[in-house]
Amino acid sequence: MKFLRPALLIASKDLRSEFRTKETLNASFSFALAILVLFSFAFDPDSDMIRQIAGGLLWMVFAFSSALILNRGFAREVPNDCLDTLIASPVSGAQLFLGKTLANYVLLLLVEAVSLPVFGVFYNANWARRLGPLMLVFVLAAWALAVMGTMFSALTVNLRLRELMLPALLYPALVPALMAAIQLTNLLIAGDTVGKEDQIWFRLLAGFDAIFTLLGLALAETVFVG
Amino acid sequence: MAADSPAVLLEGLWKYFGSFPALRDVSFAVHPGAALALLGRNGAGKTTLLRILGGLSRPDRGKVTILGGATRSASVRARIGLLGHGIGIYDELSALENLTFHARLQGLAEPAKAAHAWLERTGLHAVRDGLAREFSRGMRQRLAVARAFLHEPSLFLLDEPFTALDDRAIAVLQSLLREALARGATVVMSTHQLREALELATDVAMVQKGRVVHSGPRTEAMLADPALLYRTYGEPL
């Protein structure tokens, strides 16, 4: 709890700032909704088509709209040199990293929570048939996006072209997690159960989350202080 | 920390940016209760030195001891008050939210009480619920001063603290620094505002191209002629 308290404090500060300005949430929601609506005109969403594209479409929307949220995570600390004040405080690099990841995670989950019903309406998809496992996929894959995105956002915060650098670094690194999320989402939205041979995708997601969370926590101090 | 040990001890410090040595073999000590003014032209290495002292950067060679410990030790950082070029204030939070957040970050037992007390001391209590982005420049600077002082640090690291301050903020900062020095706190400040700094300083160090070319007590001659050191070491003002 002693380790978590400063992280929660930083996360709640970030969320309070975001809910007050809504600058990234509005941009992220608008982007996600625009893509979902536009693609619904491009495809004829019958049940076979949904089975083939649901996972890819949803995770493409989440991955691209997440860049808007992840870019702001540390960029929020740049004006007035707030990042220096945080690093100079008694909070460790790992606590700062965890706090930022938690705030990004909550925002990503919100975008997913709004986008999924919109997807259901425009694509005539009954996404709630396997709700429990589908939520598990969303929770695990959103953490993968948050933890990886926060790590690269910290690395690129002082770069002039950080808005361009973050996606360039983030998306290739996310390929294993996105592959797993797409496969599982396709299955679950089609109403299928996750068979034994598909359990590997859950294990891949959980392993990805665990490895990169530990890596982020271990490297945070070096990233912030050098 | 032993009573007679220095609050700040630098031994053979080197810092490179690429192949450029920003700090070259810097060594000095600052004793508890002293106020050291770091002088030197822009690019001399003062900010780099203060960033290392504040734990924002690591030296490439040499040893830094702050308040008896390492710069990245949490217990040491809890005793440092940092006021850098940026004010370290969140524009989208209110004055009270900013100070309460920093008080919690510093681990104070009663963060809200400390925040209210420092808003009072810096003359911002009446606007405590106003967003920092709506404040005038002077009010934001006083909020930054309150942020740096609210956990009653034992060591203040101030980078150009008087630059761009309005008269009221300068008066507030000078009075708070005198009070802190009187209770035994140590101050290390880099500055170009020679008169304000020398009035507070007990010691002076002149930094030139990454080296400390002079360090010693602040003399009456320096106070009478603040540009004396610059002329002595051939530095343009």
Side-chain angles (χ1 to χ4, degrees):
Chain A
M1 196 58 206
K2 201 178 168 191
F3 177 81
L4 273 181
R5 195 170 293 139
L8 292 173
L9 180 63
I10 290 165
S12 65
K13 182 271 295 173
D14 275 8
L15 290 173
R16 185 190 293 247
S17 297
E18 179 52 38
F19 290 137
R20 190 161 286 164
T21 60
K22 297 182 190 67
E23 51 189 12
T24 47
L25 271 180
N26 283 345
S28 199
F29 282 142
S30 308
F31 178 82
L33 297 183
I35 298 286
L36 286 172
V37 170
L38 286 174
F39 271 73
S40 76
F41 286 107
F43 295 106
D44 179 21
D46 59 36
S47 59
D48 270 355
M49 178 66 85
I50 293 302
R51 181 186 286 269
Q52 287 166 22
I53 67 160
L57 176 62
L58 276 172
W59 285 102
M60 186 190 74
V61 167
F62 296 152
F64 286 120
S65 58
S66 72
L68 300 168
I69 290 171
L70 298 168
N71 252 324
R72 277 297 292 160
F74 277 97
R76 184 174 281 121
E77 306 292 341
V78 171
N80 302 334
D81 288 346
C82 289
L83 186 57
D84 280 355
T85 311
L86 284 180
I87 295 170
S89 76
V91 172
S92 71
Q95 289 167 320
L96 174 53
F97 170 75
L98 186 61
K100 288 284 174 188
T101 306
L102 286 171
N104 285 335
Y105 185 54
V106 171
L107 297 175
L108 290 174
L109 286 176
L110 278 176
V111 173
E112 290 181 359
V114 170
S115 303
L116 191 57
V118 173
F119 168 80
V121 170
F122 280 95
Y123 295 81
N124 197 23
N126 183 5
W127 49 268
R129 280 179 290 183
R130 303 276 176 208
L131 190 59
L134 188 64
M135 289 304 103
L136 184 60
V137 174
F138 276 43
V139 163
L140 287 173
W143 183 257
L145 276 172
V147 82
M148 213 56 175
T150 307
M151 200 173 354
F152 284 122
S153 166
L155 280 169
T156 56
V157 66
N158 290 317
L159 300 181
R160 195 167 49 89
L161 297 174
R162 64 170 173 265
E163 285 85 2
L164 299 176
M165 286 304 292
L166 177 66
L169 293 168
L170 178 62
Y171 295 134
L174 273 175
V175 164
L178 288 176
M179 273 170 55
I182 289 168
Q183 290 289 344
L184 290 167
T185 307
N186 274 341
L187 275 177
L188 295 166
I189 284 189
D192 296 340
T193 51
V194 180
K196 220 169 186 180
E197 68 278 15
D198 293 313
Q199 293 284 340
I200 182 104
W201 298 114
F202 267 123
R203 285 201 290 274
L204 175 61
L205 264 184
F208 187 97
D209 284 0
I211 289 168
F212 286 102
T213 303
L214 291 175
L215 203 62
L217 292 172
L219 294 179
E221 189 75 8
T222 308
V223 169
F224 294 128
V225 186
Chain B
M1 190 177 84
D4 56 342
S5 57
V8 174
L9 180 62
L10 305 184
E11 297 166 280
L13 212 66
W14 288 77
K15 177 74 183 177
Y16 290 88
F17 292 122
S19 58
F20 175 75
L23 294 178
R24 307 166 192 228
D25 197 20
V26 171
S27 301
F28 63 77
V30 186
H31 290 278
L36 173 75
L38 283 172
L39 307 180
R41 63 188 294 187
N42 286 336
K46 306 185 298 294
T47 297
T48 305
L49 191 53
L50 281 169
R51 288 183 67 81
I52 290 174
L53 296 182
L56 297 171
S57 172
R58 290 188 207 278
D60 292 304
R61 257 189 283 161
K63 193 178 170 198
V64 188
T65 310
I66 302 284
L67 303 168
T71 53
R72 288 304 296 163
S73 143
S75 59
V76 165
R77 278 180 285 145
R79 297 170 64 201
I80 293 178
L82 181 76
L83 196 53
H85 285 177
I87 56 175
I89 292 296
Y90 294 98
D91 288 338
E92 61 277 16
L93 298 184
S94 72
L96 180 59
E97 286 168 342
N98 263 296
L99 291 194
T100 310
F101 170 70
H102 284 290
R104 289 204 172 109
L105 214 56
Q106 295 292 344
L108 297 192
E110 294 180 283
K113 192 175 166 189
H116 279 286
W118 277 94
L119 285 168
E120 198 74 64
R121 293 198 69 177
T122 48
L124 294 169
H125 202 258
V127 290
R128 62 189 175 278
D129 295 321
L131 297 185
R133 68 160 175 254
E134 293 162 355
F135 284 7
S136 71
R137 192 168 169 178
M139 288 159 78
R140 287 157 62 82
Q141 287 157 344
R142 276 183 279 145
L143 188 57
V145 169
R147 195 262 307 146
F149 278 74
L150 94 169
H151 56 297
E152 304 210 348
S154 306
L155 171 65
F156 289 90
L157 300 173
L158 313 172
D159 196 1
E160 307 283 358
F162 302 108
T163 304
L165 290 194
D166 64 12
D167 291 347
R168 186 170 175 191
I170 288 178
V172 167
L173 180 57
Q174 280 183 320
S175 139
L176 290 173
L177 282 174
R178 282 205 178 89
E179 208 177 283
L181 287 167
R183 69 170 161 80
T186 310
V187 175
V188 179
M189 60 181 151
S190 80
T191 187
H192 291 294
Q193 318 289 110
L194 297 178
R195 193 163 297 283
E196 285 88 351
L198 290 174
E199 276 174 13
L200 275 169
T202 57
D203 297 276
V204 172
M206 181 83 183
V207 187
Q208 204 172 43
K209 292 179 182 169
R211 286 186 197 281
V212 173
V213 292
H214 169 92
S215 71
R218 190 267 287 148
T219 62
E220 287 303 313
M222 291 175 195
L223 205 54
D225 178 7
L228 180 66
L229 265 181
Y230 279 82
R231 280 204 308 278
T232 307
Y233 290 95
E235 286 278 17
L237 270 174

